[in-house]
Amino acid sequence: MIILISGASHTGKTALAQKLLEKYSFPYLSIDHLKMGLIRSGNTELTPLSDDRALTEYLWPIVREIIKTAIENRQNLIVEGCYIPVTWQKDFDKEYIDSIKSYFLVMSESYIRKHFDNIKKFASVIENRLDDDCTIEGLLQDNMQLLELCKKHNTDYVLIDDEYKIDIEL
């Protein structure tokens, strides 16, 4: 089983991946770790500040093939990061798709407005964010944009609206 976890920044992707690792003992791949390894090793001219679209175009083909390899070897894997495109299904044949579950985390406008202080407070709960330039306006824009893309491409998403409570059962 492959579990894809994506979403806008600060939606709890890494925390959810850690929770699932502890619950199911599935290993997880942080696309951010892969990104930084490729950047720090000099294997790309992209930087941590590069455009998300450019990073997705560079990283997704690598991650996609890692996913295929894990499925072919009947291995479980959690893959988390914002560089999973909402159109991910178009890159896989049915035999692969049957082994993949995806969860795109989206915070509603009301959730962001009510809980912004907590969103900032828990930003480094798993990984240390060195320069956290998170703003309420940026969160609103990123989450609404992702919600529209998920709807447009008929991609499943988890709407975080009233309280932050996500439990994935396999």
Side-chain angles (χ1 to χ4, degrees):
M1 173 64 55
I2 306 298
I3 301 170
L4 303 179
I5 302 170
S6 193
S9 181
H10 292 76
T11 53
K13 299 176 296 293
T14 306
L16 178 58
Q18 181 69 34
K19 180 179 175 183
L20 292 174
L21 174 145
E22 293 168 5
K23 184 174 184 177
Y24 295 109
S25 299
F26 288 9
Y28 84 83
L29 169 66
S30 165
I31 302 175
D32 278 338
H33 290 177
L34 176 62
K35 171 186 78 174
M36 292 309 299
L38 291 164
I39 289 170
R40 288 179 171 174
S41 66
N43 283 296
T44 180
E45 293 183 16
L46 295 168
T47 72
L49 302 176
S50 293
D51 177 71
D52 279 354
R53 180 174 290 151
L55 286 163
T56 300
E57 289 173 1
Y58 181 74
L59 293 166
W60 177 244
I62 298 166
V63 172
R64 178 190 67 219
E65 298 308 314
I66 290 170
I67 292 167
K68 287 179 182 177
T69 301
I71 292 170
E72 291 161 357
N73 286 291
R74 294 178 177 82
Q75 295 170 317
N76 298 314
L77 181 64
I78 301 162
V79 179
E80 68 87 12
C82 63
Y83 307 109
I84 300 170
V86 296
T87 58
W88 68 267
Q89 289 186 356
K90 74 174 179 56
D91 292 328
F92 295 94
D93 293 333
K94 184 177 177 357
E95 73 245 24
Y96 292 106
I97 290 175
D98 290 344
S99 298
I100 302 172
K101 292 187 179 207
S102 72
Y103 302 90
F104 282 76
L105 308 181
V106 179
M107 293 177 175
S108 71
E109 179 179 352
S110 64
Y111 183 85
I112 293 168
R113 291 193 186 283
K114 286 180 192 174
H115 301 282
F116 181 71
D117 289 340
N118 278 338
I119 292 168
K120 290 282 286 185
K121 179 176 150 186
F122 292 107
S124 294
V125 71
I126 301 293
E127 294 179 340
N128 189 24
R129 292 179 186 262
L130 300 177
D131 260 341
D132 190 10
D133 60 351
C134 176
T135 65
I136 196 165
E137 295 80 16
L139 279 179
L140 289 168
Q141 180 181 358
D142 291 349
N143 280 272
M144 295 312 107
Q145 183 178 30
L146 179 59
L147 180 60
E148 290 305 314
L149 284 171
C150 286
K151 288 179 178 180
K152 177 181 176 183
H153 295 285
N154 203 23
T155 301
D156 291 335
Y157 59 91
V158 176
L159 185 63
I160 303 159
D161 190 31
D162 188 32
E163 62 179 320
Y164 196 100
K165 189 174 183 180
I166 301 172
D167 192 26
I168 294 174
E169 296 294 329
L170 301 181

